[in-house]
Amino acid sequence: MLNVPTLAELSGDLENGRTSARKIVDSCLERIADASGEGARAFIHVDAEAAIEAAEAMDRLREIKAAPSPFAGIPVSIKDLFDIRGQVTRAGSRALEDSAPAEADATVVARLRRAGFVVIGRTNMTEFAYSGIGINPHYGTPKSVWRRDVGHVPGGSSSGAAVSVADRMAHGALGTDTGGSCRIPAAFNGIVGFKPTQRRVPLTGGVPLSSTLDSFGPLARTVACCAVLDAVLAGEEIVPLRPPPIKGMRLAVPTTVALDELEDDVARTFERALETLSRQGALIERIAVPEFLDVGVMNSKGGFTAAESYAWHRYLIASHGDVYDPRVSIRIQRGEAISAADYIDLLEMRKSLIARATTRLAPYDALVMPTTANTPPRIADLADDAAFTRANMLALRNCSLINTIDGCAISLPCHREGEVPVGLMLASSGGADRRILELAAGMEAAIRV
């Protein structure tokens, strides 16, 4: 069963007077404040007073038929990576605590506000977005929705973003995705996460991890919810999706890299989803994608992420390196050994990779693969650095393939009620965002039956 309520349902309730923005915000704030929930770990900062004021303002505008959009008054969470005017952007770290408050909203935050969305708070994240697991030693680690009594990782780096949506502490979330940071936590929490083509959404006002690979995208409960938020972030008109029938969809399953070392639960759930799609008429072909082998070669020294993060962090590490999470700082500092020649080689390799991958994928509507090779690991099992590294690599691997080829992708829950969360990823070359969203909308209910 898909989570509710959706943005469309909330919009309808607001329009018909069945609820108010103030009531929706109050409900979210109550969930955040619930001592038995994950609010204290999912959020780094909650500005309840400002959220209430914004909600009441949207209610007044709706009364006079002047609401800026049908979604005005609906609360969303903002990853701690983004500037919010008057607040310090910590990026999940203690190293930036003494920074000056932001003088302006990040472009994407400003666009959400202009559409009337209410900023409910800043969500927790992996420090500086450098992990697909979601553990944060500074602000705590919110638990995945899976077996809370045991405690499983939420996925990263947009950990609090996913938990805020899954637990109805917000009705949408702004995240980032450099190697899966929207899609991995979505998969680990049974919601939807979308990575847009990078060039569609401006990166101004976000702390960078890798300027080459960073994308800003939404996490929400349904594909349609993500499509609404994506349009706002990209500065585009909100147009309802037109999901195609499953029959006739041309889907390619990459047998290179993407199906390696899958956990049993992932493999079983993914294959079941493929069988369902095939029975309903999807044309599924398993293909080799040798271009994906290049990604491992490109990342052997740390790749773009290490090189570009080191360039940004090198002075901050010199002055505040003692307060960094060691698992983050050691990965950043790999970039120090990457020469200018190495970096230029990476640029040329990626240019060739994108061209070859685009040609390879052209005959298909989308690639389809597991979002992650693993299910959410237990937090307690990752105290060992070797175990953490292995889990992190399995979580990031498939998603990072798409960032490297400059593509777009979405993660859909494909597990059944009561099963461990597993994500199914649809992906394509850059610029195919609308097609991926519509394909995903056409299959999201079917793959969970």
Side-chain angles (χ1 to χ4, degrees):
M1 181 187 301
L2 293 174
N3 289 324
V4 293
T6 66
L7 292 182
E9 289 166 344
L10 289 168
S11 173
D13 288 344
L14 287 165
E15 177 65 24
N16 295 317
R18 289 189 292 267
T19 190
S20 66
R22 173 65 192 269
K23 288 179 181 177
I24 296 172
V25 166
D26 283 346
S27 176
C28 289
L29 291 173
E30 287 173 11
R31 288 180 175 273
I32 294 170
D34 183 354
S36 66
E38 292 299 306
R41 288 170 291 278
F43 283 85
I44 287 177
H45 175 75
V46 179
D47 195 344
E49 184 177 342
I52 289 170
E53 289 178 357
E56 291 177 342
M58 290 304 119
D59 283 334
R60 290 193 294 271
L61 287 172
R62 185 168 273 106
E63 286 175 2
I64 60 171
K65 310 298 183 185
S69 85
F71 306 97
I74 297 176
V76 295
S77 65
I78 306 295
K79 187 175 182 177
D80 192 43
L81 205 76
F82 295 97
D83 286 347
I84 297 176
R85 185 175 183 271
Q87 298 181 14
V88 174
T89 305
R90 294 176 175 84
S93 179
R94 297 289 185 189
L96 295 177
E97 282 187 320
D98 55 359
S99 300
E103 295 183 359
D105 287 340
T107 301
V108 284
V109 173
R111 287 177 174 179
L112 287 167
R113 288 197 201 270
R114 281 200 295 273
F117 285 100
V118 173
V119 173
I120 195 88
R122 309 179 69 95
T123 50
N124 200 355
M125 55 179 286
T126 304
E127 183 180 44
F128 292 117
Y130 215 150
S131 149
I133 293 297
I135 289 175
N136 188 304
H138 310 299
Y139 299 100
T141 300
K143 298 174 185 175
S144 161
V145 297
W146 173 244
R147 295 172 62 193
R148 283 252 166 94
D149 58 321
V150 175
H152 291 251
V153 301
S157 62
S158 308
S159 54
V163 174
S164 74
V165 172
D167 284 12
R168 299 190 190 184
M169 294 183 281
H171 294 291
L174 174 60
T176 67
D177 194 310
T178 305
S181 288
C182 282
R183 291 162 286 163
I184 297 165
F188 281 5
N189 287 278
I191 62 171
V192 181
F194 182 61
K195 177 233 172 297
T197 303
Q198 186 195 50
R199 58 183 175 269
R200 290 184 53 246
V201 179
L203 304 181
T204 309
V207 175
L209 176 57
S210 166
S211 57
T212 296
L213 303 175
D214 291 344
S215 299
F216 296 166
L219 298 90
R221 298 196 182 96
T222 68
V223 176
C225 294
C226 277
V228 167
L229 294 169
D230 170 70
V232 173
L233 300 179
E236 298 171 357
E237 183 183 357
I238 299 172
V239 179
L241 295 174
R242 299 177 61 183
I246 293 174
K247 185 176 182 179
M249 289 183 182
R250 299 165 301 164
L251 306 175
V253 178
T255 58
T256 310
V257 179
L259 302 183
D260 295 349
E261 298 183 81
L262 300 183
E263 287 186 4
D264 289 345
D265 283 323
V266 174
R268 183 170 50 252
T269 304
F270 177 66
E271 290 298 332
R272 185 179 67 204
L274 291 183
E275 290 169 7
T276 298
L277 292 170
S278 182
R279 281 197 309 271
Q280 297 195 27
L283 307 174
I284 299 175
E285 183 179 349
R286 294 175 187 261
I287 65 168
V289 184
E291 292 78 17
F292 284 170
L293 294 172
D294 292 0
V295 177
V297 175
M298 293 171 67
N299 288 332
S300 60
K301 295 182 180 180
F304 286 109
T305 308
E308 293 171 348
S309 66
Y310 180 73
W312 194 90
H313 283 272
R314 63 191 189 276
Y315 300 120
L316 187 62
I317 284 180
S319 60
H320 290 76
D322 58 321
V323 298
Y324 274 64
D325 177 356
R327 287 174 169 172
V328 170
S329 61
I330 195 170
R331 298 176 75 195
I332 292 172
Q333 290 182 90
R334 291 183 71 191
E336 186 175 11
I338 298 175
S339 69
D342 292 332
Y343 186 74
I344 291 170
D345 285 346
L346 283 174
L347 291 171
E348 290 302 311
M349 288 178 68
R350 186 175 188 242
K351 183 178 178 180
S352 170
L353 173 63
I354 291 170
R356 287 180 286 119
T358 299
T359 299
R360 178 86 55 188
L361 305 186
Y364 305 97
D365 291 321
L367 286 177
V368 58
M369 67 187 90
T371 304
T372 63
N374 53 350
T375 57
R378 293 197 317 164
I379 296 171
D381 291 343
L382 302 186
D384 174 74
D385 283 347
F388 172 88
T389 298
R390 173 170 169 75
N392 189 42
M393 291 300 100
L394 286 174
L396 287 164
R397 187 194 66 204
N398 286 2
C399 287
S400 66
L401 299 172
I402 307 307
N403 296 73
T404 309
I405 66 168
D406 194 28
C408 55
I410 194 165
S411 177
L412 305 170
C414 63
H415 58 285
R416 292 172 178 165
E417 193 78 22
E419 294 179 342
V420 61
V422 172
L424 178 145
M425 178 164 57
L426 288 177
S428 190
S429 304
D433 301 62
R434 185 74 180 179
R435 183 178 76 217
I436 289 297
L437 287 164
E438 294 193 331
L439 288 167
M443 69 173 67
E444 70 178 320
I447 60 175
R448 302 194 69 179
V449 174

